[in-house]
Amino acid sequence: MLQYVIAAVAAVGVVALAATLFRLTKKGSDDNDAGGPSAGHAGAMLSALFLLVFAIAIIVPWTTADSASQNTHTESQAAVEAYWSASGLPGTAPDVVRAGLRDYITFVVRDEWPAMERGSMDPVGTERLDALRARVAALQVTDDQKEAKTAVLDHLAAIASARSQRTADAAATPPDGLLALTILTGLLVVLFPFLAGARPTGLAVLPLLAMAAMLGFGIYLTWDISHAFDGPLAVGPEAYKGALQEFARIAGGV
């Protein structure tokens, strides 16, 4: 944060130094007009800066939410594939593995998703998945059953990998200071006519009010969508609910 403050102060210093030098050398002419070149240039740059920051504040959460949504489908599909592959395991192992997968997916939907909406994960889910992987790894199988065991372990590894990504997505937030910069530039854009010396009256105030309302809505939106599993863009557990339905279908048909 200190580096940002120093950079801002340095930039202000450059403007102050330039203004002083031009005044001392009597270069240029005074510009006190609210619609003059100084105000026009500053206004255009402030608008461009706000649009840049606002675009980043929208795109980053949108991209994170899209990636998180795809990852939930990857994890749920890996669970379904593991459920299918478990049929080739020996003895009662298929029932044990399938019960473990059902318990894990049910836990994600029922217990873990509310925690993810708050930006965290429940460690119990990792413990259950690790226990299931350890149980499958410890199975004694024949040569004919090795392929099924390997397939189940591969799918469980894919679930674990997707879970790790889901953990990162749940904790992901826009870059530090981005929301504050969005608010600051938005305020400057709204207040700029007054800072430039203009005093809009009558109907001239209406466009400023409309712009302020839209900017306020946009800035609130950037905050509201900052978490992948909460807000308007929230990723839901639909993929996992679909996996549970697939489990039921497989169990009924196999």
Side-chain angles (χ1 to χ4, degrees):
M1 180 59 70
L2 179 61
Q3 293 87 339
Y4 297 124
V5 174
I6 293 175
V9 171
V12 171
V14 169
V15 174
L17 178 61
T20 301
L21 290 176
F22 272 73
R23 181 173 294 276
L24 291 176
T25 58
K26 300 184 184 304
K27 299 293 184 179
S29 59
D30 291 339
D31 182 16
N32 298 317
D33 184 5
S38 298
H41 175 69
M45 292 305 297
L46 280 175
S47 298
L49 177 60
F50 170 76
L51 291 175
L52 174 63
V53 174
F54 182 71
I56 295 174
I58 291 291
I59 292 173
V60 170
W62 191 290
T63 303
T64 300
D66 184 62
S67 175
S69 177
Q70 294 181 22
N71 187 65
T72 61
H73 289 280
T74 298
E75 184 177 3
S76 62
Q77 185 59 38
V80 172
E81 295 299 330
Y83 200 91
W84 269 110
S85 299
S87 62
L89 297 176
T92 60
D95 293 336
V96 172
V97 171
R98 287 178 169 182
L101 288 168
R102 283 194 302 270
D103 290 344
Y104 172 74
I105 297 298
T106 300
F107 172 81
V108 170
V109 173
R110 184 184 60 197
D111 301 319
E112 194 164 53
W113 218 263
M116 290 165 54
E117 293 174 354
R118 299 187 294 271
S120 61
M121 295 277 282
D122 195 323
V124 173
T126 301
E127 294 172 1
R128 291 189 179 188
L129 185 57
D130 288 346
L132 184 58
R133 294 177 72 183
R135 182 170 295 182
V136 175
L139 286 175
Q140 299 296 321
V141 296
T142 65
D143 291 341
D144 293 338
Q145 297 164 339
K146 282 183 179 180
E147 184 177 351
K149 177 181 176 179
T150 300
V152 172
L153 287 174
D154 287 345
H155 294 314
L156 291 177
I159 296 173
S161 177
R163 179 179 177 81
S164 296
Q165 182 59 52
R166 184 157 52 89
T167 301
D169 292 336
T173 57
D176 293 340
L178 182 61
L179 180 59
L181 187 59
T182 305
I183 295 173
L184 176 61
T185 53
L187 286 174
L188 288 175
V189 169
V190 171
L191 298 176
F192 181 78
F194 303 97
L195 296 175
R199 291 185 296 175
T201 58
L203 294 179
V205 178
L206 294 180
L208 289 177
L209 293 177
M211 179 185 68
M214 295 302 295
L215 287 179
F217 173 80
I219 291 172
Y220 175 78
L221 180 64
T222 63
W223 173 81
D224 202 24
I225 66 174
S226 59
H227 293 284
F229 297 100
D230 188 29
L233 296 180
V235 179
E238 288 78 15
Y240 301 91
K241 293 178 180 178
L244 290 174
Q245 294 174 355
E246 190 68 8
F247 290 168
R249 186 188 69 80
I250 296 170
V254 176

